[in-house]
Amino acid sequence: MKNKNIILFSSLFMLTGAASAQTSSEKPNIIFILCDDMGYGDLGCYGQQYISTPNLDRMAAEGMRFTQAYAGSPVSAPSRASLMTGQHTGHTKVRGNKEYWPNSGTVYYGQNADYKVVGQEPYDADHIIVPEIMKENGYNTGMFGKWAGGYEGSVSTPEKRGVDEFYGYICQFQAHHYYPNFMNRLVRDENGNASIVREELTENTKHAMYGNGADYVDRSQYSADLIHQEALKWLDKQTADQPFYGFFTYTLPHAELYQPNDSILQAYNNRFCNDKNYGGSAGSWYNPSENVHAQFAAMITRLDAYVGEIFAKLKEKGMDENTIVIFSSDNGPHEEGGADPTFFNRDGLLKGTKRSCFEGGIRVPFIVRWPGKIAPGSVNDHQLAFYDVMPTFCDLVGVENYVEEYTNPKYAAAGKEDYFDGISFLPTLLGNDEKQEKHDFLYWEFHETNQIAVRKGNWKLRVNAGICELYDLANDLHEDNNVAAKYPEVVKELKAIIFEEHTDSPLFKVTLPAK
């Protein structure tokens, strides 16, 4: 697809009037599209004025757009862990971006040095994750994009965790390059035994991956396109005989700000006044980039075009009406690789960016479309978090008591608890707001910036290095006015939640507030 230009600003699909495939199962197909570092205000349907997103805007117009949906964490790996495990970051094992590549040794691809082992902290092998649940309930499972749930060879790689087909990055640090040395793929031997291998991108490895500017330009195998094409191939293989679950974890619009110079990018070049260049960061693997505002805007429009092609494929196969599609982002907007969230007003009315427990770091776009089930054009203020995805999917596939069903007895034997923190939001999707159970509170903690946050109703407690700040989101959405001194009893109540919900982690330490 590297030479394919996707026409800008035109909708690639028509969502209405699609024929439904005949299926032997009443279980819906499910696709979750998770993008990377997109802010709450980056889409037209959430108020963005400078970036074209016709397909996602139409998805919102024909589905439900949530205004108070939250990622699991303000950074990638723990946010994805929360979604996968149904646990908030006071309970889940992976609470940060712990890397396993720095001391793994060196391997060469052409002239390019790379790491022998790449990846992040593994998910707890004793706690079930979403793909395993879907597989157990008869779904064909495919994942395409960023894994970030275990390093190569660990106890938690896709083929060991319920994924039938995988292509993408095992390691999220490797994803800093959009023209990498290799990609990971799930393969099976003649006996059906699965493993994860590296596939060298030989047209890329002829050229330097960093430092020789013009040489990197000559790399031609663009990972975002490769991942998307593999997702479409997998989708094309699906039939009405078996329901499917696709988890498409696209890396756009994460840095580096670099992509093909095609019609999408060219439409934004010279469009923004005072656009700027970025000099690169060898340590972060971000190559130099010209016109970073144009680059960033084009990355979001390119992602939007991918979404359009997914819907077009569903319609082509007659599966549009029996497939629920969810779109979201893993955390708030980034400032890496030359990105400038302020320029696009990317966090809308929200304060904070990636790595922050202010609203801008954790409140994310969240759109769900399910023809005939979800009322078109719905806008809902139900408070949900990524750890609600697991129970919602269990509801969709017919698991009535998922906590009882999936609690691992190994935890009780060890004197521990196997936590499940989510609440199904299926009633909200189906328009049954009066039957929707609501959270007493939502919870986050993030060791890297030493922050904890609790939201209860419209009260928001943010703990920064042990110091408490209290905000009234009903009257101060931008979190400018710390009213902790005015409402000490509210602070005390929310602090008590922290002491109840936080479990100690030897890997990911945070400073608790004073009792």
Side-chain angles (χ1 to χ4, degrees), residues 76-78 80 93-102 117-123 146-157 169-176 507-508:
S76 185
R80 294 158 193 266
K93 180 188 177 189
V94 176
R95 307 183 192 183
N97 291 338
K98 180 174 173 55
E99 312 286 2
Y100 279 84
W101 42 263
V117 177
V118 298
Q120 283 70 46
E121 178 68 18
Y123 299 143
K146 182 191 287 188
W147 171 249
Y151 56 88
E152 291 172 313
S154 71
V155 296
S156 184
T157 48
Y169 295 98
I170 289 293
C171 175
Q172 63 189 27
F173 181 77
Q174 292 283 318
H176 287 195
L507 297 177
F508 306 105

Side-chain angles (χ1 to χ4, degrees), residues 69 109 221 352 515:
Y109 295 93
Q221 292 171 290
K515 290 188 176 181

Side-chain angles (χ1 to χ4, degrees), residues 110-188:
Q111 61 182 304
N112 302 290
D114 216 313
Y115 298 101
K116 285 186 176 179
V117 177
V118 298
Q120 283 70 46
E121 178 68 18
Y123 299 143
D124 185 345
D126 291 330
H127 179 85
I128 199 165
I129 64 172
V130 168
E132 293 171 323
I133 291 175
M134 304 307 288
K135 185 68 178 171
E136 182 175 308
N137 284 277
Y139 277 70
N140 189 6
T141 58
M143 182 172 178
F144 303 89
K146 182 191 287 188
W147 171 249
Y151 56 88
E152 291 172 313
S154 71
V155 296
S156 184
T157 48
E159 84 285 9
K160 300 171 185 174
R161 304 309 307 264
V163 178
D164 293 320
E165 189 166 334
F166 172 83
Y167 181 86
Y169 295 98
I170 289 293
C171 175
Q172 63 189 27
F173 181 77
Q174 292 283 318
H176 287 195
H177 274 148
Y178 277 97
Y179 293 89
N181 295 321
F182 65 89
M183 300 294 287
N184 294 106
R185 186 187 294 276
L186 190 158
V187 299
R188 299 182 187 277

